Amino acid sequence: MSGRFSGATLAKSALAVAILGVLIVLPLAVFLAHSFYRMEDREIVRAFSFANYAELASNPAYRSVFVQTLWLALQVTFINTVVGWIVARAMWRRRQRLHFALILAVAVPLLLSYVIKIYAVRMFLGVNGLLNSTLTSLGIIDEPLGFLLFNMAAVRITLCVVLLPYSILPIFLTLERVPSRLVQAAEDLGASATQVFWTVLFPLALPGTAMATTLTFVFAAGDFLIPELVGGPNGFTLGRLIFTQFGLAYNWPFGAALAVLLVVVTLTAVVLGQRLAQPRWQRQNA
Amino acid sequence: MRKLKSIALAGLIVATLPAAAHSAGTVRIFTFEGYADEEWVGPFEASTGCQVNVTYTGSVDELFAKMIASKGADYDLISIDTSLFPQYIDKGLIVPFDAQNIPNLKNLLPEFADVAEVMAGESRFGIPIAWGSIGLIYDKAVFPEPPTSWNALWDPATASKAIVLDDANNNIVNTATLLGFEDPYNLSLEQFEQVKQKLIEQKRSILSYYAGFEDGVNVWESSGASLMFSMGESQVISLAERGYDVGYAIPQEGAIGWLDTWALSTGAQDVECAHQWVDYVLAGDVGPMMTTAHGYGNTTQSNDGLDYADRLNWLRPVESLEMRAQVWSEVKASQ
């Protein structure tokens, strides 16, 4: 059997492992190591301790930032999965030309710069923004609404808007792969639209839904730029706290400990997503 | 054929390299907005052949974090205020200038020629370029009379329309002053705790934080603010340019005053261009150009109209910037 592995194959595998090791495993290991160091007189002291994790666990301010961030990410994930399904379902089985235009409309925002999208939402929600000026000129409100920006609600709205394509596209792509014969069969046997959805479409599009929720949750939990730019003083998140430790406070060890926490949360989400994508009945069938 | 072309191209690139490297040095500047404007960067590049590569910082905290992370290797020149010299020198992040190579030092006004904080014996670590304050900017329509106390940033009636700069030391010094602590640069642990609680209280009522001169003006615009713990006089001019009728107030408790300088990074690569830059900005008209554009006092020509220097609480070195960064990060994370 060993004859199957030629020298070239071995070399290629070794290269792949080396690239993964250098680009992914090594940086993560450095991160992990830093999370056990500490700061002393603004220098990083390379002495092993759990002090950063103890601080994280014992400081109520940091604990509540963590909980608040998880809650935010869950809300965004839920909203976007629902909206993503509605949009994907509406796009499904359209005529060829319309179909293409709709996919394009969803995908184009992905090509735009992240920062530009955030500024666009910020300009839209601001007191001089499009939303306020429209509402004022229509006479719906007398004074511009100030509470649309620089708080947690603004972070939630912006995350939902910016991350929406990551929900729509995976769901839509798995929907496309559902054989139309199955849907026709269900309809022929008298299933209502609701029944078709819950017994045929939704289960078969589960992998796409899982992908959508995982992506959205991971992006929402880790983002720092949106909270930083639209969150104001109270829309504070884990990502922003990590940014503060690296970019402003110069406390890399504590920032690294926070980042490790974020990686653990992210990996958990990915594992759960995998399970959701392959529910037990599907695994058994395979 | 294609191969031939690429060889020719490579030859061409190699041929032009030495010439380019010789004539164009580059000075990498890490600074606040307002000290390296196109108005004088352009003429400087034209007259010396040095390219200027400017990066802006949003806060004192960010500047230090980036300098210490790279041990200064990323920048040639930085702009820091006089209170920061002990820390930067102690950490080996800056080196002295060669005063012989800066003939225009003679242009410094007498009060800026021998600032003790930027000297270490005969070595000159800093070159004063501008001074100003961190006052309150207010919307004249909302405040017919200028606010008289920093309490305006806490009073719910006015604080709910206020924005505050995201900077550890300036917030802590200012709050300690408001709380009446004798030495806002040397706080006890108990005083730190009081400052922290006071800042958390403020956080609950204000509109937003901002980072950087331009960001402050943008946040003012999109949040509908009418009061700002400013980064300096420059923002009054920027807001006026955008059509806001704003005033600048130094409250009764006094305001932080700063004297900014150019300092030479330990990791400077083009020391020669760096010296040419500081010499250039000390020449005749750059100081007044900056005063006109940004409202700061300059250090080379007399500043008419800037009459509040005696009401400023000049920044001094603090007990521990690390402690201050920690307190500020906890304030921001608190609910």
Side-chain angles (χ1 to χ4, degrees):
Chain A
M1 282 304 273
S2 64
R4 264 176 46 190
F5 298 102
S6 66
T9 318
L10 264 181
K12 268 187 215 160
S13 314
L15 186 67
V17 170
I19 290 175
L20 276 179
V22 171
L23 294 183
I24 296 173
V25 180
L26 190 68
L28 280 175
V30 171
F31 243 98
L32 190 63
H34 266 84
S35 74
F36 295 106
Y37 298 158
R38 66 190 152 83
M39 295 300 295
E40 206 173 284
D41 189 27
R42 314 222 88 175
E43 307 271 359
I44 297 170
V45 181
R46 290 181 165 71
F48 190 90
S49 87
F50 284 97
N52 296 316
Y53 292 99
E55 167 75 3
L56 238 173
S58 65
N59 192 319
Y62 298 144
R63 268 206 321 255
S64 73
V65 167
F66 177 66
V67 174
Q68 195 173 306
T69 308
L70 286 190
W71 180 227
L72 169 78
L74 284 173
Q75 288 173 311
V76 171
T77 307
F78 179 76
I79 296 170
N80 272 15
T81 307
V82 173
V83 177
W85 254 105
I86 295 172
V87 178
R89 177 67 185 78
M91 285 163 65
W92 182 57
R93 296 169 103 187
R94 294 285 166 193
R95 270 178 300 119
Q96 197 65 38
R97 192 171 287 174
L98 182 62
H99 185 164
F100 182 71
L102 286 171
I103 296 182
L104 205 64
V106 175
V108 159
L110 293 176
L111 304 175
L112 293 177
S113 148
Y114 193 54
V115 180
I116 288 179
K117 281 186 277 191
I118 301 172
Y119 271 102
V121 177
R122 183 156 125 173
M123 280 158 73
F124 181 75
L125 295 175
V127 287
N128 315 314
L130 190 60
L131 184 59
N132 268 316
S133 58
T134 311
L135 290 177
T136 329
S137 63
L138 289 176
I140 297 171
I141 50 173
D142 297 329
E143 282 196 358
L145 308 172
F147 60 79
L148 294 171
L149 207 50
F150 302 119
N151 51 39
M152 205 45 136
V155 178
R156 209 176 297 128
I157 296 171
T158 314
L159 278 170
C160 282
V161 170
V162 172
L163 296 180
L164 193 57
Y166 296 103
S167 294
I168 299 175
L169 290 175
I171 296 174
F172 176 72
L173 289 177
T174 46
L175 267 185
E176 285 287 274
R177 294 216 308 260
V178 173
S180 46
R181 275 172 303 158
L182 290 182
V183 180
Q184 281 159 8
E187 283 166 353
D188 286 349
L189 293 170
S192 69
T194 320
Q195 277 173 320
V196 170
F197 178 81
W198 285 113
T199 55
V200 181
L201 289 184
F202 187 76
L204 288 176
L206 212 50
T209 312
M211 172 71 99
T213 52
T214 311
L215 279 178
T216 308
F217 181 85
V218 168
F219 284 141
D223 192 65
F224 81 93
L225 208 50
I226 288 178
E228 189 70 23
L229 290 177
V230 305
N234 298 310
F236 208 75
T237 61
L238 190 57
R240 216 170 150 186
L241 186 57
I242 296 174
F243 166 71
T244 304
Q245 299 309 314
F246 282 91
L248 304 174
Y250 191 61
N251 190 342
W252 286 16
F254 188 57
L258 291 161
V260 168
L261 180 68
L262 183 61
V263 170
V264 170
V265 169
T266 306
L267 286 179
T268 313
V270 171
V271 170
L272 289 178
Q274 288 265 334
R275 301 222 124 194
L276 187 67
Q278 288 243 298
R280 198 179 301 142
W281 56 267
Q282 272 200 357
R283 267 177 278 160
Q284 275 168 354
N285 283 356
Chain B
M1 191 58 201
R2 184 178 286 170
K3 201 169 182 182
L4 208 73
K5 239 185 205 165
S6 57
I7 290 172
L9 197 67
L12 203 72
I13 291 168
V14 171
T16 52
L17 265 183
H22 185 73
S23 68
T26 300
V27 54
R28 300 164 306 161
I29 296 181
F30 192 30
T31 180
F32 290 94
E33 291 139 286
Y35 296 151
D37 284 9
E38 190 48 39
E39 208 180 340
W40 52 95
V41 166
F44 168 76
E45 289 181 333
S47 73
T48 60
C50 296
Q51 295 297 304
V52 178
N53 194 343
V54 184
T55 311
Y56 291 122
T57 176
S59 64
V60 175
D61 304 346
E62 185 194 351
L63 204 154
F64 180 77
K66 292 214 169 131
M67 277 297 284
I68 194 163
S70 71
K71 298 288 172 215
D74 290 343
Y75 309 104
D76 297 327
L77 281 175
I78 55 173
S79 64
I80 56 176
D81 74 75
T82 50
S83 75
L84 298 170
F85 278 84
Q87 158 161 275
Y88 275 81
I89 293 174
D90 182 48
K91 292 291 162 210
L93 299 178
I94 53 176
V95 288
F97 286 101
D98 178 2
Q100 301 298 318
N101 270 336
I102 313 172
N104 284 332
L105 272 176
K106 65 175 191 317
N107 293 350
L108 282 174
L109 292 169
E111 60 266 42
F112 298 111
D114 303 299
V115 177
E117 286 90 338
V118 302
M119 305 290 292
E122 289 296 296
S123 305
R124 173 176 281 280
F125 278 89
I127 292 160
I129 40 169
W131 65 271
S133 59
I134 304 189
L136 268 176
I137 293 178
Y138 60 96
D139 187 328
K140 286 182 179 167
V142 178
F143 297 86
E145 295 293 316
T148 53
S149 164
W150 287 107
N151 263 321
L153 291 174
W154 276 266
D155 180 356
T158 45
S160 62
K161 289 279 179 195
I163 61 176
V164 170
L165 78 160
D166 183 353
D167 182 290
N169 193 40
N170 287 314
N171 273 300
I172 292 174
V173 170
N174 221 40
T175 308
T177 310
L178 175 66
L179 287 172
F181 297 154
E182 199 171 318
D183 185 355
Y185 303 100
N186 247 313
L187 300 177
S188 66
L189 286 180
E190 191 191 320
Q191 288 174 325
F192 264 124
E193 188 54 33
Q194 287 182 48
V195 167
K196 185 171 129 189
Q197 293 310 327
K198 186 84 175 162
L199 283 168
I200 292 174
E201 182 195 329
Q202 175 190 64
K203 180 189 148 135
R204 295 199 181 108
S205 37
I206 60 169
L207 270 175
S208 187
Y209 296 124
Y210 68 88
F213 287 92
E214 185 69 21
D215 191 45
V217 173
N218 287 335
V219 170
W220 174 285
E221 198 157 43
S222 49
S223 71
S226 54
L227 190 65
M228 161 163 26
F229 181 19
S230 76
M231 286 179 74
E233 288 80 353
S234 173
Q235 286 174 313
V236 178
I237 296 176
S238 309
L239 282 168
E241 278 168 5
R242 298 202 191 183
Y244 292 98
D245 187 17
V246 293
Y248 192 76
I250 307 288
Q252 65 200 10
E253 297 93 354
I256 291 173
W258 43 263
L259 172 58
D260 270 355
T261 68
W262 287 120
L264 186 60
S265 165
T266 306
Q269 284 172 0
D270 199 326
V271 176
E272 197 179 321
C273 275
H275 278 79
Q276 283 182 303
W277 169 260
V278 291
D279 192 54
Y280 188 86
V281 297
L282 290 176
D285 49 354
V286 176
M289 270 197 270
M290 188 187 61
T291 302
T292 310
H294 300 291
Y296 306 137
N298 67 73
T299 54
T300 51
Q301 296 196 17
S302 66
N303 299 282
D304 299 329
L306 282 162
D307 55 359
Y308 46 75
D310 56 333
R311 282 190 289 151
L312 299 180
N313 172 6
W314 293 92
L315 278 177
R316 291 203 301 272
V318 301
E319 75 296 284
S320 161
L321 279 166
E322 188 166 25
M323 177 77 181
R324 290 179 178 230
Q326 162 87 19
V327 167
W328 182 237
S329 128
E330 283 179 42
V331 168
K332 286 201 290 177
S334 294
Q335 300 292 304

